[in-house]
Amino acid sequence: MEFDLSKLVRENIKGLLPYSSARGEFGGDAEIFLDANENAFGSPLSADYSRYPDPLQTLIKGKLANAVGVSAANIFVGNGSDEAIDLLIRIFCRPGIDNILICPPTYGMYEVSANINDIKVKRADLCLDYELDLESIGNTIDEATKLIFLCSPNNPTGNSLKRNSILKIAELFCGIVIVDEAYVHFSERESLIPEIKTHPNIVVLQTFSKAWGLAGLRVGKAFANAPVIDLMNRVKPPYNVSHIAQKMILEAFENRSVVEARIAEIVKMRGELAGSLAELSFVDTVYPSEANFLLVKMTNPNKIYDLLLIENIVVRNRSTITLCEGCLRITIGTPDENATLIKALRKYEKGFVH
Ligand SMILES: *Cc1c(COP(=O)(O)O)cnc(C)c1O
């Protein structure tokens, strides 16, 4: 079967007349704007936020298009990549009828978003080496499977998925393949964004929350063929990214060298922290990571999790998750934070030995 976008989209979305916002209808320059029921007297703040923001984030898309080498029509900007995940589910999946496929262990939002929308979740677990199980994926999808979510580098395992496996899935599957690259900036691998030119069913998600250090602004991005992006724009709330978030993102683009330097530093410390963790007697495996965290298998993860809390350090307990038995997920911190973590773990190690 061939990929056919118009067959894949829900009927109600295909015929949707989107909300026409004031700023969407008239985006030009004028002196007096009396079209959006804003407050012409301004904000009770030192800066003015009285006007609605650009609904299509034109300036940000211009910067991204330049940086990434695609056109603005290939870019969606949203309230975190979580908004893109939810939109894709709502555009393509009929509640109570369709399903999505995920490859556990992976990011939790795909399943939560599906559950909220009454969409069934099918699972094809990763192999023991955390690579995709192509055979299991092929056996698990059915004609109601609309979306396959792949996360690369994967959260919480930290590894990138094989590019060829992802492309093979995109070529054989006639639904949408979403490649979540939230951590790609910490990896040596190339992004799959260039593949959207030859694969009309690939959507690549990235975010400003991790490598860019802007999680609090809530800005994520999706890259895909223009018709898919157009659907996302039609379904999203008209003003989904606030004025202040857009302004701060543009400012961050001016400081890209800081971002690059911090990525390099985090990658370096990832190696150092992995080394220190591996030396601890109770640590069984520090999995190779291409992200800004380490998945660490150990004896007694729950006890260590609690001990770290007493030391005022909180990590993520993943020990009950499929294929992550015994594992904690630890984000790379500052050099001081990493040193404090290792000190706390050595303290535990001594108490444990005696
Ligand atoms: C952190 C993370 C995101 C980011 O979500 P935002 O809504 O953009 O903050 C997306 N995907 C994965 C796998 C993540 O770990």
Side-chain angles (χ1 to χ4, degrees), residues 79-82 107 110 151 155 180 182-183 207 209-210 218-220:
N79 182 20
S81 22
D82 288 349
Y107 186 47
Y110 317 135
C151 187
N155 177 4
D180 187 341
Y183 300 98
T207 179
S209 297
K210 309 284 158 64
R218 309 302 308 128
V219 185

PDB file of all heavy atoms in Angstrom, residues 79-82 107 110 151 155 180 182-183 207 209-210 218-220, ligand 1:
ATOM      1  N   ASN A  79       3.737  24.513  21.729  1.00  0.00           N
ATOM      2  CA  ASN A  79       3.875  24.653  23.176  1.00  0.00           C
ATOM      3  C   ASN A  79       4.557  23.388  23.737  1.00  0.00           C
ATOM      4  O   ASN A  79       3.930  22.543  24.363  1.00  0.00           O
ATOM      5  CB  ASN A  79       2.465  24.856  23.762  1.00  0.00           C
ATOM      6  CG  ASN A  79       2.479  25.070  25.253  1.00  0.00           C
ATOM      7  OD1 ASN A  79       3.489  25.427  25.835  1.00  0.00           O
ATOM      8  ND2 ASN A  79       1.348  24.836  25.889  1.00  0.00           N
ATOM      9  N   GLY A  80       5.855  23.266  23.460  1.00  0.00           N
ATOM     10  CA  GLY A  80       6.596  22.049  23.774  1.00  0.00           C
ATOM     11  C   GLY A  80       6.365  21.025  22.678  1.00  0.00           C
ATOM     12  O   GLY A  80       5.389  21.131  21.919  1.00  0.00           O
ATOM     13  N   SER A  81       7.279  20.032  22.553  1.00  0.00           N
ATOM     14  CA  SER A  81       6.983  18.994  21.564  1.00  0.00           C
ATOM     15  C   SER A  81       5.800  18.164  22.020  1.00  0.00           C
ATOM     16  O   SER A  81       5.163  17.480  21.222  1.00  0.00           O
ATOM     17  CB  SER A  81       8.185  18.102  21.246  1.00  0.00           C
ATOM     18  OG  SER A  81       9.125  18.118  22.253  1.00  0.00           O
ATOM     19  N   ASP A  82       5.474  18.238  23.316  1.00  0.00           N
ATOM     20  CA  ASP A  82       4.282  17.538  23.788  1.00  0.00           C
ATOM     21  C   ASP A  82       3.032  17.989  23.037  1.00  0.00           C
ATOM     22  O   ASP A  82       2.124  17.191  22.807  1.00  0.00           O
ATOM     23  CB  ASP A  82       4.104  17.761  25.299  1.00  0.00           C
ATOM     24  CG  ASP A  82       5.150  16.993  26.107  1.00  0.00           C
ATOM     25  OD1 ASP A  82       5.851  16.142  25.529  1.00  0.00           O
ATOM     26  OD2 ASP A  82       5.264  17.244  27.318  1.00  0.00           O
ATOM     27  N   TYR A 107       9.717   7.196  25.954  1.00  0.00           N
ATOM     28  CA  TYR A 107       9.122   8.396  26.546  1.00  0.00           C
ATOM     29  C   TYR A 107       7.642   8.167  26.850  1.00  0.00           C
ATOM     30  O   TYR A 107       6.901   7.630  26.018  1.00  0.00           O
ATOM     31  CB  TYR A 107       9.306   9.541  25.552  1.00  0.00           C
ATOM     32  CG  TYR A 107       8.884  10.916  26.018  1.00  0.00           C
ATOM     33  CD1 TYR A 107       9.258  11.396  27.273  1.00  0.00           C
ATOM     34  CD2 TYR A 107       8.133  11.749  25.194  1.00  0.00           C
ATOM     35  CE1 TYR A 107       8.893  12.672  27.674  1.00  0.00           C
ATOM     36  CE2 TYR A 107       7.771  13.030  25.587  1.00  0.00           C
ATOM     37  CZ  TYR A 107       8.148  13.478  26.830  1.00  0.00           C
ATOM     38  OH  TYR A 107       7.799  14.743  27.218  1.00  0.00           O
ATOM     39  N   TYR A 110       3.810   9.651  24.782  1.00  0.00           N
ATOM     40  CA  TYR A 110       3.081   9.096  23.635  1.00  0.00           C
ATOM     41  C   TYR A 110       1.848   8.338  24.133  1.00  0.00           C
ATOM     42  O   TYR A 110       0.745   8.506  23.619  1.00  0.00           O
ATOM     43  CB  TYR A 110       3.963   8.158  22.796  1.00  0.00           C
ATOM     44  CG  TYR A 110       5.366   8.652  22.541  1.00  0.00           C
ATOM     45  CD1 TYR A 110       6.468   7.803  22.682  1.00  0.00           C
ATOM     46  CD2 TYR A 110       5.606   9.963  22.160  1.00  0.00           C
ATOM     47  CE1 TYR A 110       7.757   8.250  22.449  1.00  0.00           C
ATOM     48  CE2 TYR A 110       6.903  10.417  21.929  1.00  0.00           C
ATOM     49  CZ  TYR A 110       7.974   9.553  22.087  1.00  0.00           C
ATOM     50  OH  TYR A 110       9.254   9.988  21.875  1.00  0.00           O
ATOM     51  N   CYS A 151      11.876   7.041  19.237  1.00  0.00           N
ATOM     52  CA  CYS A 151      12.573   8.076  19.989  1.00  0.00           C
ATOM     53  C   CYS A 151      14.075   7.830  19.859  1.00  0.00           C
ATOM     54  O   CYS A 151      14.561   6.770  20.245  1.00  0.00           O
ATOM     55  CB  CYS A 151      12.128   7.999  21.449  1.00  0.00           C
ATOM     56  SG  CYS A 151      12.734   9.342  22.463  1.00  0.00           S
ATOM     57  N   ASN A 155      14.761   7.976  25.209  1.00  0.00           N
ATOM     58  CA  ASN A 155      14.582   8.203  26.630  1.00  0.00           C
ATOM     59  C   ASN A 155      13.765   7.025  27.141  1.00  0.00           C
ATOM     60  O   ASN A 155      12.680   6.786  26.601  1.00  0.00           O
ATOM     61  CB  ASN A 155      13.816   9.524  26.814  1.00  0.00           C
ATOM     62  CG  ASN A 155      13.493   9.837  28.249  1.00  0.00           C
ATOM     63  OD1 ASN A 155      13.898   9.118  29.155  1.00  0.00           O
ATOM     64  ND2 ASN A 155      12.750  10.911  28.470  1.00  0.00           N
ATOM     65  N   ASP A 180      11.281  11.176  17.385  1.00  0.00           N
ATOM     66  CA  ASP A 180      11.451  12.169  18.440  1.00  0.00           C
ATOM     67  C   ASP A 180      12.950  12.344  18.713  1.00  0.00           C
ATOM     68  O   ASP A 180      13.597  11.470  19.273  1.00  0.00           O
ATOM     69  CB  ASP A 180      10.709  11.696  19.698  1.00  0.00           C
ATOM     70  CG  ASP A 180      10.688  12.756  20.799  1.00  0.00           C
ATOM     71  OD1 ASP A 180      11.521  13.687  20.754  1.00  0.00           O
ATOM     72  OD2 ASP A 180       9.843  12.633  21.708  1.00  0.00           O
ATOM     73  N   ALA A 182      14.465  14.673  20.651  1.00  0.00           N
ATOM     74  CA  ALA A 182      14.631  15.640  21.752  1.00  0.00           C
ATOM     75  C   ALA A 182      16.092  15.757  22.196  1.00  0.00           C
ATOM     76  O   ALA A 182      16.525  16.814  22.648  1.00  0.00           O
ATOM     77  CB  ALA A 182      13.747  15.233  22.935  1.00  0.00           C
ATOM     78  N   TYR A 183      16.863  14.652  22.044  1.00  0.00           N
ATOM     79  CA  TYR A 183      18.243  14.636  22.559  1.00  0.00           C
ATOM     80  C   TYR A 183      19.301  14.615  21.462  1.00  0.00           C
ATOM     81  O   TYR A 183      20.479  14.391  21.746  1.00  0.00           O
ATOM     82  CB  TYR A 183      18.427  13.422  23.487  1.00  0.00           C
ATOM     83  CG  TYR A 183      17.491  13.457  24.662  1.00  0.00           C
ATOM     84  CD1 TYR A 183      16.309  12.732  24.663  1.00  0.00           C
ATOM     85  CD2 TYR A 183      17.784  14.248  25.778  1.00  0.00           C
ATOM     86  CE1 TYR A 183      15.424  12.795  25.730  1.00  0.00           C
ATOM     87  CE2 TYR A 183      16.911  14.311  26.849  1.00  0.00           C
ATOM     88  CZ  TYR A 183      15.740  13.583  26.824  1.00  0.00           C
ATOM     89  OH  TYR A 183      14.868  13.652  27.880  1.00  0.00           O
ATOM     90  N   THR A 207      13.154  19.941  20.246  1.00  0.00           N
ATOM     91  CA  THR A 207      12.656  20.794  21.318  1.00  0.00           C
ATOM     92  C   THR A 207      13.714  21.808  21.746  1.00  0.00           C
ATOM     93  O   THR A 207      14.905  21.581  21.537  1.00  0.00           O
ATOM     94  CB  THR A 207      12.234  19.933  22.531  1.00  0.00           C
ATOM     95  OG1 THR A 207      11.779  20.798  23.578  1.00  0.00           O
ATOM     96  CG2 THR A 207      13.379  19.084  23.069  1.00  0.00           C
ATOM     97  N   SER A 209      13.806  22.422  24.887  1.00  0.00           N
ATOM     98  CA  SER A 209      13.818  22.132  26.327  1.00  0.00           C
ATOM     99  C   SER A 209      15.110  21.509  26.837  1.00  0.00           C
ATOM    100  O   SER A 209      15.383  21.565  28.038  1.00  0.00           O
ATOM    101  CB  SER A 209      12.670  21.179  26.676  1.00  0.00           C
ATOM    102  OG  SER A 209      11.419  21.767  26.405  1.00  0.00           O
ATOM    103  N   LYS A 210      15.892  20.861  25.986  1.00  0.00           N
ATOM    104  CA  LYS A 210      17.034  20.092  26.491  1.00  0.00           C
ATOM    105  C   LYS A 210      18.347  20.800  26.166  1.00  0.00           C
ATOM    106  O   LYS A 210      18.870  21.522  26.986  1.00  0.00           O
ATOM    107  CB  LYS A 210      16.990  18.668  25.944  1.00  0.00           C
ATOM    108  CG  LYS A 210      15.632  17.978  26.162  1.00  0.00           C
ATOM    109  CD  LYS A 210      15.428  17.521  27.588  1.00  0.00           C
ATOM    110  CE  LYS A 210      13.976  17.313  28.015  1.00  0.00           C
ATOM    111  NZ  LYS A 210      13.245  16.270  27.327  1.00  0.00           N
ATOM    112  N   ARG A 218       8.600  26.390  27.222  1.00  0.00           N
ATOM    113  CA  ARG A 218       7.681  25.485  26.533  1.00  0.00           C
ATOM    114  C   ARG A 218       7.636  25.748  25.038  1.00  0.00           C
ATOM    115  O   ARG A 218       6.636  26.270  24.509  1.00  0.00           O
ATOM    116  CB  ARG A 218       6.247  25.569  27.126  1.00  0.00           C
ATOM    117  CG  ARG A 218       6.130  25.432  28.603  1.00  0.00           C
ATOM    118  CD  ARG A 218       6.694  24.135  29.123  1.00  0.00           C
ATOM    119  NE  ARG A 218       6.142  22.980  28.427  1.00  0.00           N
ATOM    120  CZ  ARG A 218       6.910  22.029  27.880  1.00  0.00           C
ATOM    121  NH1 ARG A 218       8.227  22.079  27.956  1.00  0.00           N
ATOM    122  NH2 ARG A 218       6.358  21.010  27.283  1.00  0.00           N
ATOM    123  N   VAL A 219       8.704  25.447  24.345  1.00  0.00           N
ATOM    124  CA  VAL A 219       8.694  25.586  22.888  1.00  0.00           C
ATOM    125  C   VAL A 219       9.317  24.335  22.255  1.00  0.00           C
ATOM    126  O   VAL A 219      10.458  23.973  22.555  1.00  0.00           O
ATOM    127  CB  VAL A 219       9.452  26.842  22.405  1.00  0.00           C
ATOM    128  CG1 VAL A 219       9.296  27.000  20.880  1.00  0.00           C
ATOM    129  CG2 VAL A 219       8.921  28.100  23.100  1.00  0.00           C
ATOM    130  N   GLY A 220       8.540  23.688  21.407  1.00  0.00           N
ATOM    131  CA  GLY A 220       9.009  22.514  20.672  1.00  0.00           C
ATOM    132  C   GLY A 220       8.778  22.720  19.192  1.00  0.00           C
ATOM    133  O   GLY A 220       8.105  23.673  18.783  1.00  0.00           O
TER     134      GLY A 220
HETATM  135  C1  LIG B   1      12.069  15.949  27.292  1.00  0.00           C
HETATM  136  C2  LIG B   1      11.496  15.258  26.116  1.00  0.00           C
HETATM  137  C3  LIG B   1      10.701  15.938  25.202  1.00  0.00           C
HETATM  138  C4  LIG B   1      10.480  17.407  25.381  1.00  0.00           C
HETATM  139  O1  LIG B   1       9.189  17.768  25.499  1.00  0.00           O
HETATM  140  P1  LIG B   1       8.867  19.332  25.528  1.00  0.00           P
HETATM  141  O2  LIG B   1       7.382  19.289  25.582  1.00  0.00           O
HETATM  142  O3  LIG B   1       9.379  19.916  24.247  1.00  0.00           O
HETATM  143  O4  LIG B   1       9.520  19.923  26.722  1.00  0.00           O
HETATM  144  C5  LIG B   1      10.215  15.275  24.099  1.00  0.00           C
HETATM  145  N1  LIG B   1      10.519  13.986  23.887  1.00  0.00           N
HETATM  146  C6  LIG B   1      11.295  13.299  24.726  1.00  0.00           C
HETATM  147  C7  LIG B   1      11.662  11.908  24.416  1.00  0.00           C
HETATM  148  C8  LIG B   1      11.796  13.916  25.871  1.00  0.00           C
HETATM  149  O5  LIG B   1      12.552  13.204  26.722  1.00  0.00           O
END
